[in-house]
Amino acid sequence: MQEIYFLARHTPFWAVPLIVLGGEFAYLFWLKRRKASVFLCLIIVLIGLSATSFYIWAGGPEKSVKFIKTLHRNSQ
């Protein structure tokens, strides 16, 4: 669980580069007309956007970890 807490706490440091790189590669593959690669890159962008949205919605690094901890406790 420590890895999940670490990823939740430091979401902007991995999600924003995913969004930028996924968007750039999706555009390049779109120019080359490779549909499967475009969709894969757009899925990566959506993962980054959803993680960043959760981070903002939860309230930052401390509150996002607390939210995940309460979800984990309530699921057991």
Side-chain angles (χ1 to χ4, degrees):
M1 266 330 267
Q2 294 297 323
E3 294 85 9
I4 302 297
Y5 299 151
F6 181 81
L7 287 175
R9 183 181 307 260
H10 301 290
T11 297
F13 295 106
W14 62 267
V16 173
L18 273 183
I19 295 168
V20 171
L21 291 174
E24 287 183 20
F25 280 108
Y27 178 69
L28 289 175
F29 289 135
W30 177 68
L31 290 176
K32 295 180 181 182
R33 306 213 188 270
R34 295 184 179 175
K35 285 187 179 181
S37 299
V38 170
F39 289 130
L40 177 67
C41 291
L42 289 178
I43 288 171
I44 291 171
V45 169
L46 287 175
I47 290 170
L49 281 173
S50 62
T52 305
S53 300
F54 167 73
Y55 181 83
I56 292 170
W57 175 79
E62 299 299 324
K63 291 182 181 178
S64 63
V65 172
K66 286 181 185 178
F67 183 80
I68 292 174
K69 282 183 182 180
T70 57
L71 278 180
H72 181 68
R73 274 191 232 127
N74 293 336
S75 68
Q76 291 180 352

